[in-house]
Every structure is written in structure tokens, then in C-alpha cells.
Amino acid sequence: METEKIIVNQGEQRELRYDPRQIEEKWHARWQADPTLYAAEPHSSKRKKYYVLEMLPYPSGALHMGHVRNYSIGDALARYMWMQGYNVLHPMGWDAFGLPAENAAIKNKVPPKQWTLSNIAHMKSQMQRLGFAYDWSREVATCLPEYYRWNQWFFLKLYEKGLAYRKKSKVNWCPECATVLANEQVVSGCCWRHEETKVEQRELEQWFVRTTQYAEELLADIEKLEGWPEKVRTMQRNWIGRSEGALVDFALDGIDGPAGSKITVFTTRIDTIFGATSIQLAPEHPLVTDFIANDPHLHAKVEELVEEQRRAKESGDIGSIEKHGVFTGHYAVNPFNQEKVPIWVANYILMDYGTGAIMSVPAHDERDYEFAQKYGIEIRVVILPRRTEEPPAAGQKEEPVLPYTDKESLLINSGEFNGLSNQEAIEKMTAFAEQHGFGKKTVTFRLKDWGISRQRYWGTPIPMVHCAQCGVVPVPEDQLPVVLPENVDITLQGSSPLARMPEFVNVSCPKCGGPARRETDTMDTFVDSSWYFYRYTNPQLTDRPLDTPTVNYWFPIDQYIGGVEHAILHLIYSRFWTKFMRDIGIVKNDEPVVRLFTQGMVIKDGAKMSKNKGNVVSPDDMVARFGADSTRAYALFAAPPDRDLDWQEAGVEGVHRFLSRVYRFVMRNADVAGKSSGNALAADAGSVRAIQRKLHQTIRRVTDDFQGRWHFNTCIAAIMELVNALYGVEDEIAAGRFPTEVLADAQRSLVLLLAPFAPYLAAELWEVLGEKSNLLRQPWPQYDPALAKEDEIEYAIQLNGKLRSRIAVPAETPESTVQERALADEKVKASMDGKQVVKVIVIPGKLVNIVVK
RNA sequence: GCGAAAGUGGCGGAAUUGGCAGACGCACCAGACUUAGGAUCUGGCGGGUAAAACCGUGGGGGUUCGAGUCCCCCCUUUCGCACCA
């Protein structure tokens, strides 16, 4: 094509240069003008439903490439499912409460609400410019009272059911700011604003949600989540951390200890209790407070241990610090054998797991072993690996400690329990402890109740009132929402801004009418995101959070897509919330999400894109230079979506070049009627057949990937191959020798295949092909297996596994014939060099391996 | 320390079940068209060789007619968990 311009219909002149800006702005304007374009049909729809959801973003100011990737994956899927005829729900919203808005307010003197809403407006326009097919009529912003009033409503329900409660708990406190810090604001033990100032721990009354109530079910139902990545399921299992064991009481040895006291330990290995040669307490164990009261020396030592443990936790290397401890001078009595064992305080015992106290069995626990070695505590073997082995001589401990939990294990030195296996012993000894009232079977979880109080402004006010007469009183439902005041002074003044507003704080008690004080804590933003996807089904409801029949139609979510960083907290809280909603009868599903997809990170120059590293690529910049289609298609082409993606600008150019080729081809050949006078002139039936075959193979590959592994990179590569093949026959097309209907069909299918990946270009070319319909309502192309089939198959001929020749035979050639042809091949004969054929292996459709000797 | 994933040309990545390693794209090289081209089109492109042979999927062993793919040992990277009793 020498000329840059070409005459098409009615002599209209069109540039052959692909200009994404012009095309995308044209369609953007049209799509903006039709808000119903991507709207889901009501739940009375006859179509099968499909709910595809991407994790809602925090409105930080601008989209980053991670967002673009996430939404490009979801949008491709949504568009594909639309074309498959589903009633697709594809909504978007904003996780709009949170700390950055307050920081921005302090820094720039902009009210958090204003800052947040203007960010939302900007990011929404970015999303729209990128062409994501969202149903904006369902948009949700969690910072608006229409939304957060339902957080408050849920909170009241939780409170009603005893699942929300108050408890003293530690918070991070910066003495310089005189304020509470979120965990993320603590940088290696110091305040993020005052790098020299150590963060202190303060005890405050805070609100908790009893997630542990559902611990068993949250764990058990992980088994049902077959559409979730195994990695996420494992992470959740570990996070919940269920552990079966026993609580055993050790009485304090009389005279020295506080009267009647006992120490309850948690153990999973009650079978080793005869080997317990000390008790170890966490430094913060309440009993330790009693012990140190009259012992300044011990007091000082314990303080050290507490400090050491705190530091290790902060720096993250708890687990590798050297074990230390101090003997308290007190003893406890092992209830199984009445033996006196010393009580120690040790830095490797955690107060927030189990009971904060353990029985130490150095012979069968590595940590206890290490400790006992260091302090010369007796190491007593009470279990052996096999029934045949002799007990080792007393005190000898050459081998590293082994837990011996197999069936062949054998208890020794354990009184009446000698001779039992580990499993039998656990059962019998637990029962024994229960009978004698000094122990019981128990299950502990690593999962903790969820502390939702934040001493912050920009969040959902907790709808509670503190009355001097009535105590804690919930705000009545009909008085919701408790609106977050806006004329607020966000400066650092040592208390939550809300607590400094008398007009907010001073209320009358809903119960007695007397003067009362409003709760000034706000909710953790994970509350907002725990149920937002239900609200999408009916966001405009004003009298209840959701409409149950509508939710029952849409739920569970068919496909949820987001970053793996939410694998634990967000996804556990969401699962908890769903179970709670089910139990108060407003939804019927047990789990919110059927299939979960976690996409990889966007990397540049070997590191995750971040402002700190200065390797951020701006989506706006990419859209301006290459267009939304190229940017999106590249995000899908550069790597499979579950892997990390290395952003290379040259790659974007490559995709842009590919889309240009598509554009030029269709522009040149859209007007097929003038290109060919029909089949009669087709000179080369082979090339026609080849195009058909390639087309149907491509449809098959792309369709299979949407149904299966989502390797959109190979989908796009397949479409590239198709386009390359079409370029290969362009001379024949130009010469009028290519059948009209084959060409027309190929072009239509090509545009349809491209629609999920490059929606703007697809829409434009669909119109160029003379189509008026909405592409999303256009059926996805079907492949014809007969047309996709190869007519001729090339066999690789190997000699002892090494490639020696190739032969082409018609498809369906019997194996015996293939074998004959292979043995008759000249190159094969030459390489055989007179050797004997031992065996011939024919793999149908692939290769022949001739084994010679 | 424990667990998971990964390691393939100069680069991003293909190779769905053991069957022709390197699809597709980038970069690069050559040619065509051009006053020109950072446009477009055509061809080439793992190493090696004149051409073959031969060597090549982190390293070492093994199973097999045949291994990137399966098994064993080791190395590296990334992620998650980390004194959980």
C-alpha cells in the first residue's frame, strides 16, 4: 500500500494511521452518554447471572498500574461473559474511609471529605477513560452516610447478639504527637513523624468483634473454597491456627505462692507431661506480677525480658532471638506425679497464645531443649520411637530432640501410662485429668477477636453512648446514621478530633434521657469492605442494608479478583461477615466468593512500582501516548495474570503496533464486496483453507483460556498469529481472489475476539464493518472443530530420541502407514547406518521414534 | 527455621496430559519502499559449524524409546509464616 489514504464507502476518506486518541475519545463520549450500556438486568432476568468483582480501590488520588492490571483482567472477563449471554453484574466503588485522608488534611488543610471525593471523581474519570465496563448506577462510596449507616446498623446487630463487646487493649501512643498511632504509623518502634520518639503502649477500652465465635466454621469452610488459590487457603488456615490440646492445672507449691493459686498451661502433648521439668511463664503473665512484687531483683530481670520480647516483636525477629529466662524461686506441682517443678519466666513464651504458660518438656520439644540446656534443667525422656528400643541412660541426650508422634511410639517413665502410644496416651491422660478435675480437653486458635476501634476521625462513628447512669447504651436504630461531623479540626492535639467536639460528644442518653457522652471511636475500615459487595446489588435502598431476594439472585460472587495482599484480613473478615449476615437471616449463602483470583504485582526494573523507588509508570501517560486499548492489552499480554508483570515500555509499543495492524487490515478490507467477485476466482484453495483453520483454532484457543487458565498473554499471541496469517493473504485479497464470505467472517470474528482486550478498537471496527449492535450483546464466536482441524500432519522422525527428519502425511493416516513412511525416509535411512531397528514408537499426530541398535 | 511458588535466548514470555524447546512480542541484523524515517512491508535471529555433527531449559544424579515437564540431592530468587506450646 503506497498511499497513506484509501477510498472507502461513498468516497469518504479515512486515515489509515491508527489513532487511538481519536477513536477512544469518540467512543468514550458515546459510552458516557449511555449509562445503561453496562447495567445489569434486574434479578427477574431470564439470563443466567454472573457476578464479577474487582476489589474496590482506596481513593488515594490516582490509579496506578496495579489497578489497571486488576481491572483489565476483570473487564476482559466481564465482557466475555456478556458476550456469552450472561446477565453480568460488574460494579465498582470506593473504600473511602481511612488514614491518608486525615494526613492530607493535616498537610494541605483540606477537609478529608473534600479530598476523598475529589480523588474519587478523578479516579472515576480515569477508569472511564480506560473504558472499563462498570455499572456506575451501583457505585458505592463507603464514606457517605447512605453507606456507613449500615455499618452502624450491623454493629448494633453484632452488639445485640453479643458479638461486639468492650475490652481493655493496648494501643500505640506517641507522646510527642500525644495521639494514638495505627500499626502502620509505627516505624521500627518509633513514631513515623518523630523518628526519635519511642512509641509507648497504652491501655484503652476498645470495641471488639467476636470473630473467634466463627473460628471453627471459618476453618472448616475453607475446604469448600475449591475455586480459591491453594496459597490463600493455606494462609487462612494458618491464620486461624486451630490447635487441639488440653488445659492442665499445676497447683502452686503452697507457702511461697499466693494462696490457692494455680497455673493453667496449654499443651498439645499431654502425653509428655511426665517429662515436664519446669513451668515457663510469659513475662507478661499476671502471676509474674505477684511474684515480682516483693522481689526487686526478679522485677528488674522480668522487665528486661518484657522489653526484649517487645523489641523482637517489633523488628520481626521474634522466633530467632536467643532464649533467656529467670527462675522465680517458686514451684508448682505436676498433678500427674505430684512432683515439684520450678517456675521460670522466659522470653520465648507469648502471653497472647494459649494461657501464656507452658509445661516445659525439654526431651521432646526443641525450644524447651534449648532452654533446658542453657540453664541446666533436667531433660527427662518419656517417649521412645519404637517399642524395641532401650531407654537411654539417665541424663544422656546426644540426639536432637524428637517429638515421636507416630503410632510406634512408646511411653516410658510415665507411671500407669507406660507402654501406651503417643495417640493413646493423649486420649487417656486427658480423660484422667478431666476425671480428677485438674484439666480438660480444649481447642485454641491463633485467630483473635477483631479490634475495630480506631481513635480516628475519618471512619464510621461507632453508634454507642456512654451514660453515667445506664452505662453503655446503643443508639436506637431509628436514630441512625450517627453522622460524622464535617466542620472538624484535624490537627494533632492529643485526642481524636471527634472527642474535641462538644456538639458531637454531648448527647442525652437514649435510655434515661440524662446527659451522656457519645462514643468517639470510629470503625476500622475493614468493616466497610467486609460487606460492600452486597450493597452493590441494591445500593439505593434507604430502609435496610440489602434486599434479600436480590442478594440471593446475585450471590455468591462468581469471580473475585484482586491482590494477594488481601488474602488474610479482608477475606477473613468478609467471610465472617457473610456468616453473621446469614445467621441473622438476611442472606442465605455461607460464603461470599466462589472463585478468587489473585493477580501478580506490577514490577519495573526489578522492583515493585512505588514512589519511593521512582519507577512508577503513570496510566494517564500511557493512555495519552498509546491509548487505553494498548495499555490494557499490554497489561494482559506481558505475563499470565497470576504472575508478576515486568513493565516494559517497548512492549506497550509492540502491542500498539499489533493493534495498528488490526486497524489497517480491517480498514483496507472492510468493504469486502468490492474486493472479490466470489469463490470462482479463488486461485489458491489452500490459503483459504489455511485462513479458516487459523481462525477457528484461534477462537478455540481464546475460548478455552477464558474457560480455563486465563492465560490472556497466549490468547493475545494467538490473535496476533491470526492477524499475521491474514496479512499473508492480503495480496490475494487485493487481487480479488479471496472468497468474500470467508474474509468477512474472519474479520467479524477477529473483532469479536478482540473485544474483551481492546474494547475501543473493537467497537470502532465493528462499526466499520457495518454493524450497529452493542458488541457486548453480540454472541461470542463459535469454533467449528472440523474447520479447526489440520488436513495434513507433520511427524517428527526421531532416531533414538534425536530428531532426524520430518514427514508430512494427510490427517487420519493410519499408524502403520506413518511407520512405513518414516522407515522409508531417505534421511532416516542415511542416519540408520546399517543398524538394526529394535522398536518403533508412533505417537499419533506428533512423532515417530525409531529405536535402533 | 518452616511452607509455597519460581529459575527456559540479549529481554518479557510459549511449550494444558512425558513427545519437534524457544510460539507471540521486544531488541538486534539484512533487504524493499522512500528526499527522509523512530512509519510500513519482507526475511533472519539459542550456542556452534563453510555446512553438518554436536551442545543447550540453575547444578548433579536417576527413571524412560523419549524429560523444561516425573523422582532424589544441591544452589539461587521471590513471597508467606515465624519461639503457636
Side-chain angles (χ1 to χ4, degrees):
Chain A
M1 287 292 135
E2 294 84 346
T3 167
E4 282 274 294
K5 305 203 171 197
I6 189 169
I7 310 295
V8 290
N9 302 332
Q10 287 92 42
E12 181 193 351
Q13 289 204 332
R14 281 211 181 118
E15 282 274 335
L16 259 189
R17 203 171 68 81
Y18 169 49
D19 180 2
R21 178 182 308 222
Q22 193 213 317
I23 293 169
E24 293 178 3
E25 281 175 4
K26 166 183 155 186
W27 287 96
H28 180 246
R30 286 204 202 172
W31 293 341
Q32 291 295 92
D34 183 4
T36 64
L37 200 60
Y38 305 130
E41 292 173 7
H43 70 277
S44 54
S45 171
K46 294 277 184 298
R47 292 172 188 268
K48 225 178 143 197
K49 69 95 181 178
Y50 194 83
Y51 189 173
V52 54
L53 180 70
E54 295 113 61
M55 290 182 184
L56 87 178
Y58 178 77
S60 56
L63 295 183
H64 54 69
M65 277 303 171
H67 291 127
V68 173
R69 190 182 194 197
N70 187 178
Y71 310 147
S72 296
I73 295 166
D75 203 49
L77 179 66
R79 287 174 184 273
Y80 170 79
M81 294 308 288
W82 255 304
M83 294 173 82
Q84 285 288 7
Y86 285 82
N87 181 24
V88 176
L89 177 57
H90 190 214
M92 184 43 73
W94 310 96
D95 186 17
F97 271 137
L99 207 53
E102 287 183 58
N103 296 336
I106 293 163
K107 209 167 151 192
N108 311 321
K109 309 270 180 261
V110 191
K113 184 172 185 180
Q114 190 189 321
W115 183 84
T116 304
L117 293 183
S118 83
N119 285 350
I120 288 175
H122 178 237
M123 290 168 76
K124 182 174 175 180
S125 76
Q126 286 184 298
M127 288 182 182
Q128 290 175 327
R129 179 60 187 81
L130 278 155
F132 297 125
Y134 294 126
D135 183 349
W136 286 109
S137 70
R138 297 167 184 271
E139 181 179 4
V140 158
T142 59
C143 65
L144 300 177
E146 302 86 79
Y147 183 83
Y148 69 67
R149 73 171 290 175
W150 302 112
N151 284 346
Q152 296 172 338
W153 183 87
F154 278 119
F155 184 88
L156 294 178
K157 295 289 168 202
L158 287 164
Y159 185 73
E160 225 172 78
K161 302 285 175 195
L163 293 172
Y165 66 98
R166 260 159 88 75
K167 170 173 97 172
K168 273 213 167 191
S169 174
K170 283 184 180 160
V171 292
N172 304 303
W173 179 267
C174 171
E176 197 73 23
C177 303
T179 193
V180 172
L181 299 179
N183 283 336
E184 308 85 67
Q185 293 174 316
V186 181
V187 183
S188 56
C190 294
C191 173
W192 63 324
R193 288 177 187 285
H194 307 97
E195 289 176 18
E196 303 295 305
T197 309
K198 277 211 167 174
V199 170
E200 297 170 2
Q201 302 290 307
R202 289 207 172 178
E203 290 246 314
L204 289 181
E205 282 273 325
Q206 308 208 62
W207 286 100
F208 283 80
V209 170
R210 216 179 290 278
T211 40
T212 50
Q213 181 94 6
Y214 286 87
E216 290 281 9
E217 197 191 344
L218 286 168
L219 179 71
D221 284 358
I222 291 174
E223 300 314 311
K224 294 185 194 163
L225 303 176
E226 285 168 11
W228 286 38
E230 199 45 55
K231 177 185 170 135
V232 174
R233 299 167 79 189
T234 307
M235 282 164 79
Q236 292 215 350
R237 272 186 212 107
N238 293 341
W239 187 258
I240 293 168
R242 184 180 194 275
S243 172
E244 271 182 35
L247 294 173
V248 181
D249 297 334
F250 281 62
L252 283 180
D253 188 38
I255 317 139
D256 295 321
S261 291
K262 62 184 186 188
I263 297 173
T264 304
V265 303
F266 173 68
T267 178
T268 55
R269 294 297 307 275
I270 196 170
D271 57 309
T272 63
I273 199 164
F274 282 83
T277 48
S278 69
I279 291 285
Q280 304 287 343
L281 301 178
E284 288 168 310
H285 195 282
L287 202 57
V288 176
T289 321
D290 297 336
F291 288 156
I292 61 179
N294 299 313
D295 189 341
H297 175 71
L298 185 63
H299 190 132
K301 281 282 207 180
V302 168
E303 290 280 278
E304 264 174 52
L305 294 173
V306 170
E307 180 58 20
E308 199 176 280
Q309 214 177 43
R310 199 185 62 80
R311 268 204 309 271
K313 268 188 186 166
E314 267 156 19
S315 62
D317 44 72
I318 192 148
S320 56
I321 58 169
E322 204 188 325
K323 292 178 180 38
H324 286 294
V326 57
F327 176 46
T328 60
H330 300 269
Y331 291 84
V333 180
N334 183 337
F336 274 83
N337 58 7
Q338 311 312 314
E339 186 174 308
K340 267 174 66 174
V341 292
I343 302 170
W344 289 65
V345 181
N347 65 350
Y348 71 100
I349 309 301
L350 306 171
M351 193 54 225
D352 52 11
Y353 185 78
T355 59
I358 65 152
M359 60 176 207
S360 176
V361 185
H364 305 292
D365 180 285
E366 267 185 58
R367 295 153 302 178
D368 294 345
Y369 179 68
E370 188 187 329
F371 193 87
Q373 283 256 302
K374 180 164 178 170
Y375 291 101
I377 298 170
E378 186 196 344
I379 296 164
R380 187 189 304 158
V381 174
V382 292
I383 187 160
L384 292 173
R386 279 178 297 278
R387 287 165 195 271
T388 53
E389 247 177 50
E390 289 298 308
Q396 264 189 8
K397 194 71 195 70
E398 302 289 334
E399 296 288 308
V401 182
L402 286 173
Y404 305 136
T405 54
D406 54 291
K407 282 204 186 94
E408 298 299 310
S409 55
L410 165 75
L411 259 67
I412 57 165
N413 295 330
S414 298
E416 61 182 287
F417 302 99
N418 280 342
L420 294 177
S421 78
N422 144 270
Q423 288 304 319
E424 295 164 336
I426 287 179
E427 230 170 86
K428 294 221 162 112
M429 292 168 90
T430 306
F432 181 87
E434 278 176 356
Q435 273 163 29
H436 292 80
F438 56 76
K440 63 174 184 198
K441 191 171 171 170
T442 189
V443 175
T444 53
F445 292 93
R446 215 191 75 115
L447 181 76
K448 306 266 174 359
D449 280 344
W450 175 14
I452 62 157
S453 278
R454 297 291 179 271
Q455 294 71 37
R456 293 272 145 207
Y457 162 69
W458 193 232
T460 304
I462 292 176
M464 288 285 167
V465 166
H466 302 274
C467 171
Q469 305 303 316
C470 318
V472 176
V473 182
V475 173
E477 246 181 68
D478 59 12
Q479 288 176 30
L480 297 183
V482 176
V483 176
L484 192 63
E486 290 180 31
N487 54 330
V488 74
D489 168 33
I490 313 270
T491 46
L492 294 170
Q493 287 185 27
S495 58
S496 159
L498 289 178
R500 280 180 266 132
M501 299 182 77
E503 66 274 31
F504 179 78
V505 175
N506 298 326
V507 286
S508 42
C509 171
K511 210 166 176 182
C512 70
R517 200 175 53 78
R518 199 183 277 291
E519 172 66 63
T520 57
D521 282 357
T522 55
M523 296 182 199
D524 180 7
T525 57
F526 276 115
V527 171
D528 309 336
S529 55
S530 290
W531 68 281
Y532 74 101
F533 30 67
Y534 289 98
R535 187 68 183 170
Y536 283 141
T537 60
N538 225 328
Q540 67 285 2
L541 282 181
T542 54
D543 61 340
R544 60 220 142 110
L546 53 83
D547 176 62
T548 301
T550 311
V551 165
N552 288 345
Y553 170 74
W554 286 111
F555 269 76
I557 294 162
D558 295 278
Q559 182 69 60
Y560 197 20
I561 306 165
V564 74
E565 65 273 18
H566 295 111
I568 296 179
L569 295 180
H570 165 56
L571 289 168
I572 290 221
Y573 296 144
S574 295
R575 295 181 58 221
F576 163 80
W577 213 273
T578 289
K579 291 176 189 306
F580 172 65
M581 288 165 82
R582 177 203 60 197
D583 287 351
I584 59 172
I586 61 173
V587 306
K588 71 169 190 217
N589 48 301
D590 294 324
E591 288 287 337
V593 173
V594 174
R595 280 177 35 114
L596 174 71
F597 188 89
T598 52
Q599 96 247 14
M601 286 187 302
V602 181
I603 304 284
K604 183 147 192 300
D605 307 325
K608 184 180 177 174
M609 276 191 193
S610 77
K611 281 184 193 148
N612 291 342
K613 301 222 175 65
N615 60 351
V616 174
V617 175
S618 142
D620 288 348
D621 183 43
M622 288 294 122
V623 170
R625 290 166 56 202
F626 302 106
D629 281 340
S630 296
T631 307
R632 293 176 51 164
Y634 175 71
L636 298 175
F637 176 66
D642 52 339
R643 292 246 290 262
D644 286 353
L645 181 155
D646 187 14
W647 193 272
Q648 295 186 2
E649 199 167 300
V652 190
E653 285 175 37
V655 170
H656 181 261
R657 204 170 296 156
F658 159 64
L659 294 180
S660 301
R661 279 163 67 79
V662 175
Y663 177 79
R664 277 197 306 274
F665 184 87
V666 175
M667 291 305 280
R668 283 197 290 250
N669 301 298
D671 185 16
V672 285
K675 296 282 171 190
S676 166
S677 41
N679 291 341
L681 285 181
D684 184 355
S687 66
V688 175
R689 179 72 190 91
I691 290 295
Q692 277 186 325
R693 187 189 307 124
K694 193 76 186 172
L695 174 64
H696 285 265
Q697 287 175 343
T698 307
I699 297 171
R700 182 171 61 196
R701 281 177 69 179
V702 176
T703 308
D704 284 354
D705 248 311
F706 267 111
Q707 304 295 345
R709 359 174 255 173
W710 284 17
H711 279 196
F712 301 130
N713 54 331
T714 56
C715 288
I716 294 171
I719 301 172
M720 285 173 170
E721 286 186 50
L722 172 63
V723 171
N724 290 346
L726 287 169
Y727 267 74
V729 296
E730 233 196 337
D731 286 347
E732 290 185 61
I733 295 168
R737 302 193 312 195
F738 204 85
T740 309
E741 66 276 18
V742 176
L743 178 59
D745 180 45
Q747 293 194 94
R748 285 168 48 91
S749 297
L750 168 63
V751 170
L752 293 172
L753 288 173
L754 215 49
F757 310 114
Y760 282 111
L761 179 61
E764 174 71 10
L765 295 180
W766 194 239
E767 192 174 73
V768 165
L769 289 175
E771 300 283 353
K772 300 258 184 289
S773 59
N774 175 1
L775 261 180
L776 291 187
R777 286 289 176 241
Q778 195 61 33
W780 185 252
Q782 299 287 309
Y783 64 87
D784 180 342
L787 291 176
K789 207 163 165 194
E790 297 287 348
D791 302 327
E792 193 175 73
I793 294 172
E794 191 178 67
Y795 277 84
I797 313 298
Q798 297 181 334
L799 226 59
N800 288 344
K802 296 214 183 229
L803 184 67
R804 281 294 175 265
S805 184
R806 298 167 192 281
I807 56 168
V809 300
E812 319 289 337
T813 304
E815 277 183 40
S816 55
T817 315
V818 173
Q819 181 170 334
E820 277 168 34
R821 292 270 319 269
L823 289 166
D825 185 82
E826 288 305 323
K827 284 189 202 157
V828 171
K829 280 190 190 161
S831 325
M832 292 240 298
D833 200 20
K835 292 192 180 111
Q836 289 302 307
V837 176
V838 179
K839 158 155 92 155
V840 180
I841 292 145
V842 180
I843 307 299
K846 299 235 157 110
L847 59 68
V848 179
N849 190 15
I850 303 165
V851 186
V852 295
K853 207 162 65 175

